[in-house]
Amino acid sequence: MKELLVAFLLGGLLVSLAFGGDSPAQSGPGSSSGSAPAKEKTSESARLTYEQRQRIQKLVGMYRLAKGDKEKKKEAVRLAVEYGPTAAAAVLEAIGRELYPQMERYRSNFFQQAQAMAKKQVAKVDLQEIQALRQKVLSLSQRPDFSKELIEREADPAMKRLEEIFVLDRQKVLEASANLQAERERLGELGVLWEQCVVVLWEHAPAEVDKPAQKPSFEQYLQGEEALAAGLAAPMDPKNREILAMNGRLASQLDPEEARAVLALNLTRNLLGLPALLIDLKLCETARDHSHDMLTHKFFSHESPLPGKKTPWDRAKRFGTTASAENIAAGYQDGRAVNLGWFHSPGHHRNMLGNHRRVGMGRSGSYFTEMFGD
C-alpha cells in the first residue's frame, strides 16, 4: 500500500470552488486552467536539450547503481543539486523509490505502538467540552467575518484541544519505543540526501508561490508522518474506521501524496465528528487530469480553456462521475501540507468540512486538485 511520498513542505497558491447543479460559486482568486494527454511531457521537460536530458539520466543512473555505496549516493546527489532543480527532482524520485518502503514500515510500526498505548490509556472526557469545541470550528464558515485570521484565532486552538483529548502525543509514542527510535535514526541516512534535493526545489519555487520562510526538512516530514499515525490510533466512529480501511485498500492506485492528503482530510473530519469521505477513483482521475493540465499548460484555475473541460463538472462527467466542489493548489509537494493550507483558507475550509460523501485527490508535480462528490 503506497500511502507515503517522500516530499517536502511548500506553501502555495490555493483556490476553492463549491458548486451545485449548474450554478458554480467561486470563492478565492481564480485564473485559467488547461489539460493535456497523460503521455505528454511537461513544458519544463520539453525545454531541456538532448544533452541536458542525457546528463540528468546519467545522474539518476549513478544514484541507482550506487546501491549500498553511501559515498557514491552522496556524490550523485551533490552533482544533481549543482546541476539544478530538474536534476534534483529526478534524483529525488530515485531516492523516494528507496525510501517509500522504509517510511511505510515506520508509519505502520508507529501506528501499532500508538494503538497499544491508546488501549491502555483510560481518560475521562467532557462530552460538553468536545461538542462545544467542534461546534466552534464548524460554525465559523457561517460567520460574516469568516477569514484566515478567524480560523487561526478560533479554529486552531479548538483543534489543538481536540487533539489533546483524542490523539496521543507523537513524542510520547516515540519515547516509549526504542525500536521506533532506532528505525527513525536509520531513516535519517536517506533523509539527509532527500533534504538536499527538496531544498533546491524550495529555493527555485516560482516567485508567485507564497512559500514558507523556513526551509523544508526531513524532520518536518517525519513529524507529520508520526502525527498521522497517532491520529489513526485515535477513537473513531466504526463507520469512519471502515471507510478509512476501504481507502487504505484503494491507496495503491493513488499517488502516495494523494493518499496522504485524503488521510489527513479524513482525520481532520474525524476530530470534528464528521463522516469520513470514501475515495472515488474516477474523481481522482478527474482531479489528476486537471492538475496535469495546469502543470503542463501553465495556468491555475477551475475553468479550463481546453474543449470539453471548461468546468469541474464537465471534467467529472468525462470520467464517468459527478462532483459538488473543488479545491486547487499550486506550489506543494506534501499532501499533508496542502491539506493544512486548505484548512486555513476560507473557501477550501468550507469545502473540506462540507456535507460530502466522496473525495478524489489528484496531483501532478506541485499542483493538487481535490474534488468532492455527494
Side-chain angles (χ1 to χ4, degrees):
M1 183 173 90
K2 296 182 180 178
E3 291 187 0
L4 303 172
L5 177 65
V6 184
F8 61 100
L9 185 98
L10 281 180
L13 302 173
L14 302 164
V15 174
S16 65
L17 179 67
F19 53 89
D22 297 324
S23 178
Q26 183 168 335
S27 86
S31 37
S32 61
S33 68
S35 62
K39 294 183 180 179
E40 183 176 339
K41 296 179 181 178
T42 65
S43 56
E44 180 180 3
S45 297
R47 288 198 302 267
L48 296 175
T49 66
Y50 173 79
E51 290 75 15
Q52 288 172 326
R53 289 196 294 270
Q54 289 294 105
R55 175 60 173 162
I56 291 172
Q57 290 175 9
K58 183 177 179 180
L59 289 172
V60 173
M62 178 180 176
Y63 179 88
R64 290 175 176 170
L65 290 173
K67 296 185 178 179
D69 192 325
K70 296 179 182 179
E71 293 306 314
K72 286 185 178 179
K73 285 183 177 180
K74 291 179 181 178
E75 180 65 9
V77 170
R78 184 187 68 80
L79 292 172
V81 166
E82 289 181 356
Y83 202 69
T86 305
V91 173
L92 178 63
E93 183 178 352
I95 294 172
R97 290 179 183 275
E98 186 176 5
L99 196 52
Y100 291 159
Q102 297 179 37
M103 291 289 289
E104 289 177 15
R105 285 194 296 271
Y106 182 67
R107 182 199 276 187
S108 176
N109 292 339
F110 200 98
F111 164 71
Q112 291 175 20
Q113 176 67 28
Q115 189 178 46
M117 292 175 64
K119 290 179 179 179
K120 297 178 181 179
Q121 180 174 295
V122 179
K124 294 182 179 180
V125 296
D126 185 335
L127 295 180
Q128 289 186 338
E129 180 190 13
I130 293 170
Q131 184 177 3
L133 290 167
R134 288 172 168 173
Q135 184 59 30
K136 175 177 284 190
V137 177
L138 295 174
S139 64
L140 291 183
S141 63
Q142 306 302 318
R143 290 175 51 170
D145 58 340
F146 187 42
S147 64
K148 177 180 179 180
E149 291 71 27
L150 183 65
I151 294 170
E152 291 175 340
R153 186 172 67 249
E154 299 200 17
D156 282 358
M159 292 299 293
K160 182 179 180 180
R161 176 57 183 150
L162 285 170
E163 288 176 354
E164 291 173 350
I165 294 171
F166 290 115
V167 184
L168 283 171
D169 183 271
R170 63 161 197 88
Q171 189 61 38
K172 291 182 179 179
V173 177
L174 187 60
E175 291 173 353
S177 172
N179 289 336
L180 281 178
Q181 294 171 35
E183 191 174 359
R184 197 181 202 274
E185 186 174 348
R186 288 193 296 271
L187 285 171
E189 295 178 3
L190 279 176
V192 171
L193 305 180
W194 171 90
E195 186 171 310
Q196 291 174 20
C197 291
V198 300
V199 166
V200 172
L201 299 180
W202 175 83
E203 291 174 341
H204 288 81
E208 66 270 18
V209 171
D210 184 22
K211 68 180 183 182
Q214 185 180 3
K215 290 183 179 180
S217 71
F218 188 61
E219 176 63 24
Q220 290 173 350
Y221 195 88
L222 268 179
Q223 289 183 16
E225 284 305 300
E226 292 162 354
L228 290 176
L232 277 169
M236 195 173 296
D237 179 87
K239 183 62 176 179
N240 279 357
R241 184 73 68 185
E242 179 184 351
I243 289 176
L244 261 61
M246 294 172 67
N247 286 350
R249 291 191 289 271
L250 294 171
S252 63
Q253 300 180 59
L254 272 60
D255 171 280
E257 284 305 319
E258 295 170 356
R260 195 170 187 257
V262 171
L263 176 59
L265 166 68
N266 275 331
L267 291 180
T268 298
R269 289 177 64 92
N270 181 64
L271 274 181
L272 292 169
L274 298 174
L277 305 183
L278 181 65
I279 290 173
D280 179 339
L281 292 177
K282 291 182 179 180
L283 272 182
C284 289
E285 291 183 72
T286 307
R288 195 176 301 122
D289 184 66
H290 188 56
S291 292
H292 179 75
D293 290 348
M294 290 191 289
L295 172 67
T296 303
H297 295 280
K298 301 299 181 185
F299 64 86
F300 185 65
S301 176
H302 295 289
E303 289 198 3
S304 171
L306 297 181
K309 293 186 177 183
K310 182 177 181 181
T311 67
W313 50 94
D314 289 336
R315 296 190 289 272
K317 186 177 180 181
R318 284 172 59 92
F319 285 89
T321 187
T322 59
S324 55
E326 180 182 80
N327 289 340
I328 59 176
Y332 287 83
Q333 295 286 341
D334 179 343
R336 181 173 180 268
V338 76
N339 189 74
L340 288 172
W342 280 329
F343 184 84
H344 290 93
S345 177
H348 307 90
H349 180 104
R350 184 180 287 111
N351 286 344
M352 288 173 61
L353 306 183
N355 187 28
H356 315 291
R357 292 188 301 168
R358 298 173 289 120
V359 64
M361 191 75 65
R363 170 183 179 249
S364 185
S366 66
Y367 289 80
F368 279 80
T369 298
E370 179 180 49
M371 301 190 75
F372 300 94
D374 296 333

